[in-house]
Amino acid sequence: MKYIVEFVKFMDLYENFDQNEKIKKLGNQVNLHGELDSSDYEQLIELMPAEDTSPTKKMGVPINDEDLPENEVKSLSTNGYDGFAAREYAREWVSNSEILRNNKQFGYYSDYNGGCYSCWKDCTNYVSQALMAGGMIYYENGGKRDSTAWWYNSSAPSFTWGAAQNFYLHWRDRAGVVKASGDLGRGDVVSTDFYGDGSIDHTAMITVVRNAEQYLSQHSIDKKEVSTVGDWFDAGYDVYGYEMDKADN
């Protein structure tokens, strides 16, 4: 597995050709004009590897949901985030069917893709919806490209709402990346970099902790509590976890 992961990281240099070309073009603009305008700068930040925050380490033992009394499982955190409500939403809308992907309330991506209900990468949009259901408030301080913003509307959501890399840039600052995986529990979120190149590829929510394993619910491919955070570590991925009850809200 170690050699396979190293080979995949090497091949990713070629797979990210389009992304690298965009970075080169923005770099050429700097060489020609000496600076970038604000929108180009934000685009460059989104494209660059995100190496300024260390990934979460596989350490500690999470608290099993079954070990908590019912009133504690459902209690609100100090910032008002309800991890239980977020988990219940994630479980309800994890199916890939057109009825259950909640396009009625959050139809932007479906409309943008010509009315298709499941032909786009929906992992981050799905997690953002669950966070909203758990009481996370919109951050509207900035344009749709800004990492400081996080909001949804039917005309154009912020990039942080539906794109994995942008989502990471927002929650890295708003919640912070935990140092140890054992600190994460139900209703918390993880981002992962499959190739170790600093570009975040996927987002998922922890919806249950059972037998000291943090089970994930996710879209694209839609799965309910099939894989775990431990599986991601075992595969050699870089994992970034956020305690949502510690986020600014």
Side-chain angles (χ1 to χ4, degrees):
M1 179 58 71
K2 176 183 177 182
Y3 292 112
I4 291 172
V5 170
E6 289 301 316
F7 178 70
V8 169
K9 290 179 180 179
F10 173 74
M11 291 302 296
D12 189 53
L13 296 173
Y14 298 94
E15 292 173 357
N16 278 345
F17 178 81
D18 289 341
Q19 181 170 315
N20 293 334
E21 285 300 302
K22 291 177 182 177
I23 293 173
K24 287 180 183 178
K25 288 180 180 178
L26 290 168
N28 290 335
Q29 289 187 41
V30 174
N31 293 332
L32 288 172
H33 307 293
E35 61 182 2
L36 292 174
D37 63 32
S38 59
S39 62
D40 286 337
Y41 177 76
E42 286 296 329
Q43 183 180 1
L44 180 62
I45 293 300
E46 293 154 13
L47 292 168
M48 294 297 289
E51 297 180 343
D52 56 336
T53 299
S54 298
T56 299
K57 302 297 183 183
K58 187 179 182 182
M59 296 170 57
V61 179
I63 299 174
N64 290 332
D65 286 359
E66 292 89 342
D67 294 339
L68 296 173
E70 184 176 355
N71 63 335
E72 186 173 346
V73 170
K74 295 185 178 182
S75 64
L76 289 176
S77 61
T78 55
N79 68 353
Y81 177 65
D82 186 343
F84 181 83
R87 184 271 292 277
E88 292 303 286
Y89 181 96
R91 282 178 160 178
E92 179 181 359
W93 297 104
V94 74
S95 171
N96 192 30
S97 73
E98 20 183 285
I99 297 174
L100 291 180
R101 197 162 256 213
N102 203 5
N103 290 288
K104 185 174 181 180
Q105 184 177 358
F106 299 94
Y108 171 81
Y109 298 99
S110 175
D111 294 339
Y112 185 83
N113 287 275
C116 177
Y117 287 95
S118 58
C119 61
W120 73 91
K121 295 180 179 179
D122 188 54
C123 62
T124 307
N125 170 46
Y126 163 72
V127 169
S128 287
Q129 290 178 27
L131 290 176
M132 180 179 170
M136 281 297 177
I137 63 172
Y138 286 166
Y139 266 33
E140 300 181 277
N141 50 330
K144 66 179 181 179
R145 287 182 176 272
D146 296 337
S147 62
T148 54
W150 181 77
W151 41 263
Y152 177 90
N153 63 46
S154 58
S155 60
S158 65
F159 283 19
T160 57
W161 182 273
Q165 172 77 355
N166 306 78
F167 180 96
Y168 160 79
L169 293 173
H170 179 78
W171 292 103
R172 173 196 65 184
D173 296 332
R174 185 170 171 180
V177 174
V178 299
K179 294 182 179 180
S181 61
D183 294 334
L184 300 171
R186 178 217 60 243
D188 289 332
V189 174
V190 286
S191 298
T192 185
D193 172 3
F194 291 145
Y195 308 111
D197 60 1
S199 181
I200 303 301
D201 302 294
H202 189 49
T203 315
M205 175 170 282
I206 298 169
T207 49
V208 69
V209 180
R210 184 183 300 120
N211 299 323
E213 292 285 352
Q214 299 137 314
Y215 285 85
L216 299 164
S217 291
Q218 61 190 15
H219 273 186
S220 309
I221 302 171
D222 298 2
K223 296 179 181 179
K224 178 184 176 183
E225 297 163 7
V226 174
S227 56
T228 68
V229 175
D231 292 335
W232 285 8
F233 281 112
D234 292 343
Y237 304 153
D238 286 343
V239 177
Y240 299 82
Y242 323 99
E243 284 184 283
M244 287 301 173
D245 60 353
K246 305 289 179 61
D248 293 336
N249 202 32

